[in-house]
Amino acid sequence: MLRRKPVADLIAEGDHGKLKRSLGLGQLTMLSIGATLGSGIFVVLGEAVPVAGPAVILSFVLAGVTALFSALSYAELAGMIPLSGSSYSYAYATLGELVAWVCGWCLVLEYGVSVASVAVGWGQYLNELLRAAFGVTIPDALSQPPGGGGIVNVPAIVVVLLAMVLLLAGAKESARANAIMVVIKIGTLVLFCAIAFTAVQAKNFTPFLPLGLAGLSAGGAKLFFSYIGFDAASTAGEEAKNPQRDLPRAILLSLGIVTVLYCLVAVAAVGALPWQQFGDQQAALSHVLTSILDNEFWAALLAVGAIVAISSVVLTVLYGQTRILFAMSRDGLVPAALSTVDAKTGTPRTNTLVVSGFVAVLAAFVPLGKLADATSIGTLFAFALVNIAVLVLRRRRPEQPRTFRVPLAPVTPVIGIGCCALLMFSLDTATWIVFGGWMLLGLAIYFGYSVRRSRLADPR
């Protein structure tokens, strides 16, 4: 349980891996933006505003600061250990196999489950587009999961399967499609701000903290979901052309761009519409435009942008999940089939099919809210482990080359751990129960299967 994988072995695996190195700085940055900028701002904003009021703007800042501290640690480790396994691989080198497994299991929650929750939001905006453009919607029975008023969420299944087809074509092809979608969704959010700022009223910002500091932190905990995915570039460590140089830059650059956009959109949204009128809207930004304009055209146009944006998130986060399972499979902790690579496309084909099938089923039958909160707590736990890994490697391997160093360490990683803990404890009891059940399931799999099949247990 305490055996560690030497850093030199990890780096050697990346240098001699089977995946194709085809991604540059621009593509890696677009990958992280693509994985981050989507459901959080288009959908989860509508759940956070009723909790925080106008202070949702500061909730975005709180969540962004928490992400920043972890992003700095990710940047150091990504440049030092450029592997597909992301924080799972970092934990394996520093904290031992059991902690690495727990981290990897949390990443399954972060990536796999977040893809499902994002896909649920995609269906909401598809309905908004159909309503605004044609006056029809997909019936709830076929566009909502059980518990949300329906039977099966068909649009969620469709978007996951479309992303799967792109991923099977290859990493370079997927990155090209993602870059186009990222440009469209950034343009959509800029357009929303331009329209919404014309209707901003100062009175909508008062009282600024109607639900107090507790509402501010609760909003931050919900909105942390908006930042999930900035670490996606770290999962491309074995497909980056120059990972030591480009991975840290891509992680920090993408987080900066996303944070600025989030804050602008939040100011525009709550300034244009009183916070009491958000009412837990899942298509929150379209709701704002519909409320302040008589013309349905702009709401329909925003819905198109949201559909593209959320498609991009599904594609890139699904990519990240497959690469993490690829690394875990190579280490023997999950079945070997998940690390087989197609000779023609250079992609883990079986892995992609299995993950896509699992995510499609989850998206079809589980409501968004429950998925988003569970994803956030798993991600916060994994981020805390990344901060700890920086501290451990600074002590154990001070001589190891680092292309980026966390400033003001060890203070910065310690603050990062504290911020993660603050947001974790701001989530409700039900979320903690789900997280506890998920961890127990993961430990059962580790002790029942992984611990005896680990390559470190039997290097043959």
Side-chain angles (χ1 to χ4, degrees), residues 23-81:
L23 306 179
L25 174 60
Q27 292 164 313
L28 292 169
T29 303
M30 288 293 194
L31 177 66
S32 282
I33 295 175
T36 310
L37 194 62
S39 247
I41 192 63
F42 284 101
V43 180
V44 179
L45 175 66
E47 298 181 358
V49 171
V51 172
V56 72
I57 301 164
L58 293 184
S59 295
F60 267 117
V61 174
L62 174 61
V65 168
T66 301
L68 174 62
F69 283 116
S70 296
L72 293 171
S73 292
Y74 261 103
E76 176 168 325
L77 294 176
M80 185 179 172
I81 310 172

Side-chain angles (χ1 to χ4, degrees), residues 183-236:
V183 170
I184 292 172
K185 65 182 173 181
I186 289 177
T188 300
L189 290 176
V190 171
L191 175 64
F192 169 82
C193 289
I195 297 171
F197 271 122
T198 64
V200 167
Q201 300 181 52
K203 66 179 182 179
N204 289 339
F205 294 104
T206 56
F208 191 69
L209 279 166
L211 301 167
L213 292 176
L216 170 64
S217 62
K222 280 190 172 293
L223 289 172
F224 186 77
F225 181 78
S226 305
Y227 290 92
I228 290 172
F230 75 81
D231 55 327
S234 67
T235 67

Side-chain angles (χ1 to χ4, degrees), residues 15 28 33 49 59 62 73 84 93 125 159 165 176 214 231 250 252 285 308 332 356 373 377 412 432 440:
D15 290 339
L28 292 169
I33 295 175
V49 171
S59 295
L62 174 61
S73 292
S84 294
Y125 272 99
V159 71
V165 171
R176 188 179 295 118
D231 55 327
L252 297 176
L285 301 189
V308 173
S356 300
D373 285 348
I377 196 169
T412 305
W432 275 93
L440 288 175

Side-chain angles (χ1 to χ4, degrees), residues 191-342:
L191 175 64
F192 169 82
C193 289
I195 297 171
F197 271 122
T198 64
V200 167
Q201 300 181 52
K203 66 179 182 179
N204 289 339
F205 294 104
T206 56
F208 191 69
L209 279 166
L211 301 167
L213 292 176
L216 170 64
S217 62
K222 280 190 172 293
L223 289 172
F224 186 77
F225 181 78
S226 305
Y227 290 92
I228 290 172
F230 75 81
D231 55 327
S234 67
T235 67
E238 294 175 49
E239 290 161 284
K241 294 177 182 177
N242 191 342
Q244 283 83 0
R245 183 196 68 184
D246 291 344
L247 290 179
R249 294 180 182 182
I251 290 169
L252 297 176
L253 184 59
S254 62
L255 183 62
I257 292 171
V258 165
T259 301
V260 170
L261 276 171
Y262 280 169
C263 290
L264 284 173
V265 172
V267 171
V270 298
L273 189 69
W275 68 274
Q276 299 93 335
Q277 294 183 27
F278 277 78
D280 201 23
Q281 285 282 332
Q282 290 193 323
L285 301 189
S286 284
H287 174 64
V288 171
L289 293 188
T290 302
S291 301
I292 64 175
L293 299 173
D294 293 330
N295 194 333
E296 292 275 11
F297 171 77
W298 296 108
L301 187 62
L302 182 80
V304 172
I307 289 169
V308 173
I310 296 171
S311 300
S312 172
V313 176
V314 172
L315 174 66
T316 50
V317 178
L318 197 62
Y319 165 89
Q321 176 64 91
T322 60
R323 271 45 179 185
I324 289 164
L325 285 176
F326 173 86
M328 295 175 74
S329 171
R330 186 170 55 190
D331 292 334
L333 302 186
V334 295
L338 298 180
S339 57
T340 57
V341 174
D342 184 85

Side-chain angles (χ1 to χ4, degrees), residues 123-211:
Q124 305 304 320
Y125 272 99
L126 178 61
N127 256 342
E128 182 66 21
L129 172 62
L130 292 174
R131 183 197 62 77
F134 307 108
V136 299
T137 58
I138 301 171
D140 283 351
L142 298 178
S143 64
Q144 297 287 348
I151 299 173
V152 59
N153 193 328
V154 174
I157 297 174
V158 170
V159 71
V160 172
L161 296 182
L162 288 174
M164 179 190 74
V165 171
L166 274 174
L167 289 176
L168 290 174
K172 189 174 182 179
E173 290 75 12
S174 301
R176 188 179 295 118
N178 173 64
I180 295 170
M181 289 189 281
V182 167
V183 170
I184 292 172
K185 65 182 173 181
I186 289 177
T188 300
L189 290 176
V190 171
L191 175 64
F192 169 82
C193 289
I195 297 171
F197 271 122
T198 64
V200 167
Q201 300 181 52
K203 66 179 182 179
N204 289 339
F205 294 104
T206 56
F208 191 69
L209 279 166
L211 301 167

